[in-house]
Amino acid sequence: MSSKHKFLQIEGLARRFPDAMGGEELVVFDGVDFAVDKGEFVCLIGHSGCGKSTILNIIAGLDSASEGYVFVGGREVTGPGLERGVIFQNHSLLPWKSALENVQFSVRARWPNWSRRQVREHAEKFVGMVGLSDAKHRKPSQLSGGMRQRVGIARAFAIEPKLLLMDEPFGALDALTRATIQDELIAICRATKQTVFMITHDVDEAVYLADRVLLMSNGPHARIAEAVEVPLERPRVRAEMLDDPRYHRTRSHLLQFLIDSHGGDAHAPQLKAAPTPMTAPEPASADGASFSVMTKEARR
Amino acid sequence: MRLPRKLHAPLLSVAILAIVSAVWEGATQTSRDDGVRSEYEMLVAGADETARLPRPSEIAALGLEMLSDPVYDRGPNDKGIGLQLVYSLGRVGLGYIVAVLVAVPIGFLIGMSPLMLSAFNPFIQVLKPISPLAWMPLALFVIKDSVWSSVFVIFICSVWPILINTAFGVSSVRKDFINVSRTLELSRLRTALFVILPAAAPTILTGMRISIGIAWLVIVAAEMLVGGTGVGYFVWNEWNNLDLASVVVSILMIGVVGMGLDFLLAQAQRAVAFEDA
Ligand SMILES: Nc1ncnc2c1ncn2[C@@H]1O[C@H](COP(=O)(O)OP(=O)(O)OP(=O)(O)O)[C@@H](O)[C@H]1O
Ligand SMILES: [Mg+2]
């Protein structure tokens, strides 16, 4: 067995599904190995159906592998746990609870011995962190898609997980909202030195957020084909990044991989990346901070 | 029209009631019109006169009279309508509450496991369509008491909608909610109480609302069958006396009480409802 120095260590992971008709098993992926360092932000990119969500669910402990091991902090994962926070693709907020109550519910599960006040104060801190203090008493149905996703983020961060797992968290959001929440996510991750494993369809998002991008080949028998370091130092500023040749090189590399591995597949991949990258913001708001402010204004 | 929009529907309702009453009143007009008819009629009804449909004015007058003293008790065959309704409500309440206490936990357990759901399904499907009154002979034989038999009949008719809806509601709770609970390492009990129960509550309440409606329908029939007390017996008794005005008043009261029961459950339903986001 190889060394388990890394914080998240995946070894020889495989997942097979029995065929419904009793035929041959479907091997979604096999021989998947990778590792994530403490404090690292890693994105996983691949075509639809290659098994990204399955990998994330196995790491979360919600699904079990057919073969292989997952170690978090040196301990093998055998089920779900509070040290791993999950942000689900469809937010999965409890619809009968308000935004704040949703966060409190998780906080209470994490620290059962806390007083009501402690739970509330802690939850309010994180709701405030994603800018939802004014909307904290609203039910999920009364929140916009972006706001719901933020509650999901607040909920995951509030339990202070050692590892944050995100499955296409911003997939359903428009570009402006997405950019704002990405910036918020980066700020929170920097402040908490959060280790993140995130799935995305969006090449731009991966390059902007990640330290390293894992590329997954198509299934069946999908594998991690390549791990690409993003050679951009932090803090990253959107507008400056657009002028950086390293950004474009990395971005083209990822896109090229996806296009090559697509190989005339009948069902079109849901790539979020347009031929031209993010539209450059107006000169007046050329730096990341004011871009973020502008998008906040724009959402009102 | 300058009337507030909110008043349109109620005013229209009143108008419909007035028109229907007027037509009815006109259609049942007879030559005779004395003020002290009800006492007189009670004595001679069916003897020298064919029974006729009572007029709305008679019904209204009798209704006011009956409601002015609803809970008097002058022997087994002369009790106020209010008292009779209380008897019926008591039986419905008892049978229904026991049905809720039995059906919700069992439905919960069945709904939690697909295996149990499939295993119990044939029994439920066979027992559900049986008219609750068909249980009456069996109940009377086993329980040997007419009052408790009608309580049992209420229980048996209330149990199925609640059981089915609870099992269905629990089994169709979104996997996501269960996953949230699992990632939070909640115990099975906490998951059941704080995630599954609230998620399934609207479906359970729908079953409970269907059940209370059926129970109120069934109690009238059951009491007609076993007699003694209760609004069903009361209606049957008045029919035997050919006092149709009393029958109509009782029918309206049954409707009003049924509406009240449904209203209560509707409120409860609203309290647990949530909008899926
Ligand atoms: N319970 C299951 N039974 C059988 N096959 C399954 C099951 N769950 C997933 N699969 C198959 O596993 C493969 C990978 O699914 P997964 O959801 O992990 O894909 P994904 O990479 O997350 O796709 P997307 O980007 O569209 O979300 C798919 O081909 C899917 O059909
Ligand atoms: Mg997926």
Side-chain angles (χ1 to χ4, degrees), chain A residues 15-20 26-29 44 46-57 63 89 167-168 199-201 216 219-220 270:
Chain A
R15 182 68 169 101
R16 297 183 290 263
F17 287 110
D19 186 81
L26 169 70
V27 183
V28 180
F29 53 79
L44 177 63
H47 282 294
S48 184
C50 66
K52 304 183 294 296
S53 296
T54 308
I55 290 184
L56 185 129
N57 284 339
D63 192 2
Q89 181 160 9
D167 191 350
E168 294 184 51
I199 293 171
T200 177
H201 266 130
M216 200 163 166
Q270 305 153 349

Side-chain angles (χ1 to χ4, degrees), chain B residues 94-225:
Chain B
L94 196 58
Y96 179 78
I97 287 170
V98 175
V100 171
L101 293 180
V102 169
V104 172
I106 294 183
F108 220 94
L109 292 178
I110 295 176
M112 294 265 259
S113 135
L115 175 68
M116 295 291 257
L117 193 60
S118 317
F120 273 88
N121 197 35
F123 298 106
I124 297 174
Q125 295 307 332
V126 168
L127 293 174
K128 181 184 66 164
I130 297 173
S131 163
L133 293 174
W135 292 92
M136 192 56 103
L138 210 57
L140 285 170
F141 176 74
V142 174
I143 303 174
K144 297 190 169 58
D145 178 280
S146 63
V147 170
W148 287 106
S149 294
S150 30
V151 171
F152 172 77
V153 165
I154 293 304
F155 164 79
I156 206 80
C157 76
S158 309
V159 102
W160 307 119
I162 305 177
L163 188 67
I164 292 167
N165 271 44
T166 305
F168 175 75
V170 167
S171 69
S172 52
V173 168
R174 291 230 313 259
K175 193 97 200 304
D176 302 338
F177 299 160
I178 310 289
N179 279 348
V180 167
S181 162
R182 290 179 64 200
T183 56
L184 293 175
E185 296 185 53
L186 294 184
S187 67
R188 286 176 79 92
L189 183 66
R190 294 193 140 253
T191 305
L193 286 182
F194 300 121
V195 179
I196 300 177
L197 188 59
T203 322
I204 297 174
L205 258 294
T206 303
M208 289 174 63
R209 193 173 168 188
I210 295 170
S211 281
I212 197 78
I214 295 176
W216 191 241
L217 291 180
V218 164
I219 192 65
V220 173
E223 287 169 347
M224 283 182 175
L225 206 58

Side-chain angles (χ1 to χ4, degrees), chain B:
Chain B
M1 261 228 266
R2 292 205 161 270
L3 280 170
R5 207 162 248 289
K6 262 197 343 206
L7 286 179
H8 288 186
L11 283 175
L12 198 58
S13 302
V14 171
I16 292 170
L17 181 65
I19 292 167
V20 171
S21 305
V23 171
W24 183 350
E25 189 87 34
T28 51
Q29 202 65 254
T30 53
S31 55
R32 197 173 50 84
D33 197 45
D34 54 329
V36 288
R37 102 188 59 81
S38 66
E39 220 101 2
Y40 166 76
E41 251 183 13
M42 289 252 247
L43 290 168
V44 299
D48 68 335
E49 190 186 23
T50 50
R52 58 175 178 76
L53 269 182
R55 272 174 281 142
S57 55
E58 292 174 303
I59 294 166
L62 183 65
L64 285 178
E65 190 195 312
M66 285 167 77
L67 289 178
S68 66
D69 184 14
V71 289
Y72 70 88
D73 186 355
R74 291 182 217 116
N77 277 333
D78 193 9
K79 295 190 204 305
I81 176 101
L83 204 57
Q84 303 287 22
L85 284 168
V86 168
Y87 279 120
S88 302
L89 276 173
R91 285 167 202 160
V92 166
L94 196 58
Y96 179 78
I97 287 170
V98 175
V100 171
L101 293 180
V102 169
V104 172
I106 294 183
F108 220 94
L109 292 178
I110 295 176
M112 294 265 259
S113 135
L115 175 68
M116 295 291 257
L117 193 60
S118 317
F120 273 88
N121 197 35
F123 298 106
I124 297 174
Q125 295 307 332
V126 168
L127 293 174
K128 181 184 66 164
I130 297 173
S131 163
L133 293 174
W135 292 92
M136 192 56 103
L138 210 57
L140 285 170
F141 176 74
V142 174
I143 303 174
K144 297 190 169 58
D145 178 280
S146 63
V147 170
W148 287 106
S149 294
S150 30
V151 171
F152 172 77
V153 165
I154 293 304
F155 164 79
I156 206 80
C157 76
S158 309
V159 102
W160 307 119
I162 305 177
L163 188 67
I164 292 167
N165 271 44
T166 305
F168 175 75
V170 167
S171 69
S172 52
V173 168
R174 291 230 313 259
K175 193 97 200 304
D176 302 338
F177 299 160
I178 310 289
N179 279 348
V180 167
S181 162
R182 290 179 64 200
T183 56
L184 293 175
E185 296 185 53
L186 294 184
S187 67
R188 286 176 79 92
L189 183 66
R190 294 193 140 253
T191 305
L193 286 182
F194 300 121
V195 179
I196 300 177
L197 188 59
T203 322
I204 297 174
L205 258 294
T206 303
M208 289 174 63
R209 193 173 168 188
I210 295 170
S211 281
I212 197 78
I214 295 176
W216 191 241
L217 291 180
V218 164
I219 192 65
V220 173
E223 287 169 347
M224 283 182 175
L225 206 58
V226 299
T229 48
V231 72
Y233 169 71
F234 184 74
V235 172
W236 198 247
N237 207 23
E238 297 302 319
W239 157 242
N240 284 333
N241 296 336
L242 272 182
D243 184 356
L244 288 179
S246 289
V247 170
V248 175
V249 172
S250 315
I251 286 175
L252 291 176
M253 290 309 297
I254 293 170
V256 169
V257 172
M259 188 176 78
L261 290 175
D262 188 62
F263 175 80
L264 286 181
L265 267 294
Q267 291 303 105
Q269 221 176 0
R270 273 175 62 177
V272 300
F274 57 83
E275 219 179 309
D276 227 334

